[in-house]
Amino acid sequence: MTVTYTSQVATCKGFGCFWRLLFRWRGSIYKLMWPELLAYTIIYYLLSLLYRFLLYEEQRRLFEKVSLFCQQFSELIPLSFVLGFYVTIVVQRWWEQYMSLPWPDSLALFVSTSIHGLDQRSRLMRRTVMRYVNLSQTITLCMISPKVKKRFPTLEHLVESGLMTSNEQKIFDDLDAKTPHPKYWMPLVWAGSIIARARKEGRIRDDFAVKTILDEINRIRGLCGGLLSYDWISIPLVYTQVVTLAVYSFFMATLMGRQFLEPTQNIPKHQVDFYVPLFTLLQFFFFMGWLKVAESLVNPFGEDDDDFEVNWLVDRNLQVSYLIVDEMHNEHPELIQDIYWEEVFPQELPYTIAAEQFRREPPQGSTANLEVPEQEQEFLPVVEEEEDEGIHESTSGINDAEKGSTKAISIARSRNSAKSSTSGLGTSQQFTTRKPSLLSMIFNRGISNSNDDNLSQSGVRPNVGEPDDRGNTAHCWEEKTE
């Protein structure tokens, strides 16, 4: 059973909450690595006793040289990098395998809602579809989990448990004689055929419901296939071997390299003599424990304390599936008005005495308490360029002057009509008219001067009118008379 401790770390206060977990045995790091820690400690003290009491003087000097050699070169092993990267891959792979576990709840809801009818055949169709889905999942788990395989070692055990009938077993046996490939998908094919038959008989009323159910069946098939892929494709063996050799060779070197040598020899970093290698044991505990974590999580379908409880998952999925499509099919409580019918919605749901301390105001934006002084709340005047209409009209005036005075006169009339309509507006509407920018006034004046020169050369003289409210002067072009 998976070790769960979420309730014990729900609230962090005082000295924290993780220290409570240090005294648990089941699923703990102590249970995983105590044999290695015990063996390492025994070998270390045997070498220490050999150095201190059994060796002669010359042999001690040789022992010291070997110890310094092991200490120097053991630091060259990149243990933290190799082990940390490997554990990261293992943990990510462990979580992805959990996310690949199929849950038939959504399919059961679709089947219960889409396959209509209270007669025996409709009920049989709904139950059979969900039985096939759970059968496919159980066959998949039998192929990857020792716990499920021990529970259902053969197809006969599936028949005895009620997940498979004897007729369906014969079909599996016939297919096994034809091909050795996994046939976990066969019950899902049968489930799809039942859905097609229900649509043909009118028990499913539209094709969209058929597509929804078939998409969910295909999704479950993909999850089962993903679990088989994780079981087939492991983390590369060479990487696992490198990590294991790195950890064990490092600590084999520390058996000699971390020995406390005689301080009288004036060996660097050996001025103090201890009998208990405290920090060496802590380092062994951390790095070896890290490796044990990877060994425990690399296959979460095994029999470790923290592996997935797949036998419980088989029972749970079957019970929930039958409950949704049979017991709860087309059943719901009586439709009555809720207590907030008149007020539409409640301001808040009531609190108990224990929960009163958690009452909070609704969250606001981070600028909710930011106040802008009143004198800084006025908008600045917006200065924008005039629309391109005036530029377009001025440019077209040059071409009109070259083509003839008839077009120029019509442009002048349109401007005069625009002027008269503008003068008829209210005071407030005139006040809100956009102001021309300095660049647009200079540009318009340059265009106007070029128009005057071109029209003068073409034999047309200007008749300057009164300036409008924007400061622009309307030009009426008349033909030059002899």
Side-chain angles (χ1 to χ4, degrees), residues 253-265:
T254 58
L255 288 173
M256 287 292 296
R258 300 297 176 85
Q259 292 287 340
F260 291 103
L261 306 180
E262 293 182 3
T264 57
Q265 299 298 321

Side-chain angles (χ1 to χ4, degrees), residues 20-168:
R20 306 174 188 172
L21 308 177
L22 299 179
F23 304 102
R24 302 184 61 171
W25 175 255
R26 186 173 178 273
S28 65
I29 191 63
Y30 319 117
K31 185 177 179 180
L32 281 178
M33 60 169 300
W34 73 264
E36 286 84 356
L37 182 60
L38 180 61
Y40 181 84
T41 306
I42 293 175
I43 297 175
Y44 180 89
Y45 276 107
L46 288 177
L47 293 175
S48 179
L49 293 175
L50 178 66
Y51 169 71
R52 295 175 184 272
F53 303 106
L54 300 180
L55 296 182
Y56 297 109
E57 193 68 22
E58 296 180 358
Q59 295 173 339
R60 288 184 182 182
R61 302 292 85 80
L62 179 61
F63 186 95
E64 292 168 356
K65 293 179 181 179
V66 174
S67 177
L68 293 176
F69 177 83
C70 293
Q71 182 180 5
Q72 178 182 358
F73 286 97
S74 64
E75 297 176 356
L76 300 179
I77 301 177
L79 188 60
S80 299
F81 173 76
V82 174
L83 188 56
F85 189 65
Y86 182 78
V87 173
T88 301
I89 295 177
V90 170
V91 173
Q92 181 181 2
R93 178 186 174 90
W94 168 79
W95 181 250
E96 290 175 353
Q97 290 183 75
Y98 173 75
M99 297 303 295
S100 298
L101 289 174
W103 301 83
D105 303 36
S106 298
L107 178 60
L109 292 175
F110 293 148
V111 169
S112 178
T113 307
S114 301
I115 301 181
H116 301 275
L118 299 177
D119 57 308
Q120 184 176 0
R121 182 167 178 79
S122 298
R123 179 189 178 192
L124 180 62
M125 285 185 171
R126 290 191 295 267
R127 290 180 62 92
T128 305
V129 168
M130 298 314 302
R131 180 171 64 83
Y132 284 156
V133 171
N134 285 275
L135 175 61
S136 177
Q137 174 192 358
T138 305
I139 293 175
T140 303
L141 293 177
C142 285
M143 300 172 63
I144 64 175
S145 175
K147 291 188 290 188
V148 182
K149 183 65 174 179
K150 292 178 180 180
R151 186 180 182 183
F152 306 106
T154 62
L155 294 179
E156 287 78 6
H157 291 81
L158 292 174
V159 174
E160 293 178 5
S161 65
L163 284 174
M164 181 185 291
T165 64
S166 57
N167 186 30
E168 295 163 358

Side-chain angles (χ1 to χ4, degrees), residues 257-290:
R258 300 297 176 85
Q259 292 287 340
F260 291 103
L261 306 180
E262 293 182 3
T264 57
Q265 299 298 321
N266 296 325
I267 301 175
K269 298 181 181 180
H270 287 274
Q271 287 78 21
V272 182
D273 188 13
F274 288 103
Y275 291 98
V276 180
L278 178 61
F279 291 99
T280 301
L281 294 178
L282 287 177
Q283 189 178 27
F284 179 87
F285 189 84
F286 296 148
F287 284 108
M288 187 61 69
W290 214 355

